[in-house]
């Protein structure tokens, strides 16, 4: 039976897919677990280490059980989970609600209860559950409900990450299925255009975020620099400015923060972006309020995101999606601050970590192309 309240804030972790595709094994996972601790990622909040598609054999065994690929995982999956747990991390695995996974390995369709029991026996804490090869007679809602039920019955707390891609109005029914996160877009690519398209398409899903179930905008491509082995994902890479904007968007929009780069060899800048405590605090704020968007007059490629925080502060993100630097201007009355009240906003810069004093009536930072400025603000008097 389920015992813990899971996903009270967006889950944070690392997943093998973006960088390693089908090319990973036990050693890579052990080294990644070590790196999660040594690089300070666990301390920053990244607790799940998740292996994605391609971990099993192409067929089930005679008893209908999933079989780990012995070349990749000679010690089996339990040994991997044990190692991950010994580092203070949690362990995640992947399956699919259809007859096959997206890469053609056995899916969990009509094996849900037996697979959930197998995962629980291995010590799995998180299941990414995909949406490929689903029999047309079965709705996605039925199959996610079924796996949720199987996991809740498995005797272990296993977070269900529904990789549903935003079809069948998933936001309408996913929370009631029992799942903890839901993918709402096609797969991310390591390119600015993909980041921009996903962020722009997800504003309307903000109201469906909240403790217990979050809109998953897909795994982070921060720090990949076009070097991943996954040909679908790695299509060019981004600049550090763009990766920083990507991270700030996902954080402010309450998406799970699941790292997709090779964390054994992160650049200093990648590590700085991914472990920025001021930005992570916005994502992990206990109230999990959604943000809203204020458009900037005359420049549709610039906007401000406003997210109320549980301590009474506000997160303000000034974003510039255009190809040239731009002033992004916010009049405080557009977020409800009455001029007659006579108060301004005290700004703390979430990138430089400096307090900047009080701004009155408006604030208009110049923001680099594809860049952002993010602040934690409180209402204040001079
Ligand atoms: C789908 C998912 C991806 C990844 C692959 C694995 O495309 O959306 O995140 O899990 O399947 O095959």
């Amino acid at each position: 039976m389920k015992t813990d309240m899971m996903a009270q804030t967006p889950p944070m972790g690392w997943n093998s897919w973006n960088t390693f595709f089908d090319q990973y094994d036990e050693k890579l996972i052990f080294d990644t677990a070590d790196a999660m601790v040594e690089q300070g990622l666990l301390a920053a909040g990244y607790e799940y280490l998740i292996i994605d598609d391609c971990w099993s054999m192409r067929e089930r065994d005679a008893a209908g059980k999933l079989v780990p690929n012995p070349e990749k995982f000679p010690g089996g999956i339990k040994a991997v989970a044990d190692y991950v747990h010994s580092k203070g991390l949690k362990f995640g695995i992947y399956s699919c609600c259809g007859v096959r996974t997206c890469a053609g390995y056995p899916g969990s369709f009509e094996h849900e209860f037996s697979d959930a029991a197998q995962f629980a026996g291995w010590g799995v804490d998180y299941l990414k559950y995909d949406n490929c090869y689903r029999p047309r007679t079965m709705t996605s809602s039925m199959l996610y409900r079924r796996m949720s039920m199987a996991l809740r019955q498995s005797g272990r707390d296993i977070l269900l990450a529904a990789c549903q891609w935003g079809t069948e109005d998933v936001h309408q029914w996913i929370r009631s299925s029992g799942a903890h996160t839901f993918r709402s877009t096609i797969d991310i690519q390591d390119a600015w255009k993909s980041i921009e398209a996903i962020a722009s398409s997800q504003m309307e899903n903000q109201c469906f975020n909240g403790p217990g179930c979050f809109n998953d905008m897909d795994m982070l491509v921060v720090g990949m620099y076009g070097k991943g082995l996954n040909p679908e994902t790695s299509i060019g890479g981004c600049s550090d400015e763009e990766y920083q904007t990507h991270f700030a968007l996902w954080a402010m929009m309450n998406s799970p923060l699941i790292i997709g780069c090779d964390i054994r060899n992160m650049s200093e800048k990648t590590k700085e972006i991914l472990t920025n405590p001021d930005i992570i605090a916005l994502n992990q704020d206990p109230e999990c309020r959604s943000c809203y968007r204020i458009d900037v007059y005359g420049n549709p490629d610039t906007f401000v995101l406003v997210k109320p925080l549980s301590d009474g502060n506000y997160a303000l993100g000034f974003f510039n999606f255009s190809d040239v630097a731009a002033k992004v201007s916010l009049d405080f009355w557009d977020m409800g601050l009455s001029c007659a009240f006579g108060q301004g906003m005290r700004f703390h810069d979430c990138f430089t970590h400096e307090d900047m004093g009080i701004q009155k009536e408006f604030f208009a930072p110049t923001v680099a192309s594809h860049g952002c400025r993010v602040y934690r603000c409180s209402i204040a008097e001079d």
Side-chain angles (χ1 to χ4, degrees), residues 131 134 140 164-171 173 183-185:
N131 198 27
R134 177 160 49 82
S140 182
Q164 207 279 349
W165 318 321
T167 66
E168 291 184 21
D169 290 328
V170 58
H171 52 279
W173 50 263
R183 272 276 303 282
S184 50
T185 70

Side-chain angles (χ1 to χ4, degrees), residues 2 48 60-61 102 111 117 129 147 151 165 183 290 304:
K2 216 175 102 33
Y48 290 101
R60 291 173 181 271
D61 69 12
C102 297
H111 293 270
Y129 203 47
M147 184 48 102
L151 293 175
W165 318 321
R183 272 276 303 282
S290 20
V304 179

Side-chain angles (χ1 to χ4, degrees), residues 17 52-53 94 102-103 128 130 163 165 183 187 219:
W17 182 252
D52 207 281
D53 206 349
Y94 166 100
C102 297
K128 174 173 173 179
D130 221 330
C163 183
W165 318 321
R183 272 276 303 282
D187 291 2
M219 297 165 291

Side-chain angles (χ1 to χ4, degrees), residues 266-295:
M266 280 186 292
S267 72
E268 275 310 304
K269 187 65 191 176
T270 296
K271 191 158 137 184
E272 182 190 318
I273 293 171
L274 291 172
T275 60
N276 182 333
D278 280 343
I279 299 291
I280 291 173
L282 308 182
N283 181 258
Q284 296 293 303
D285 187 70
E287 258 190 87
C288 303
R289 296 272 166 202
S290 20
C291 60
Y292 63 91
R293 173 180 164 136
I294 298 176
D295 290 326

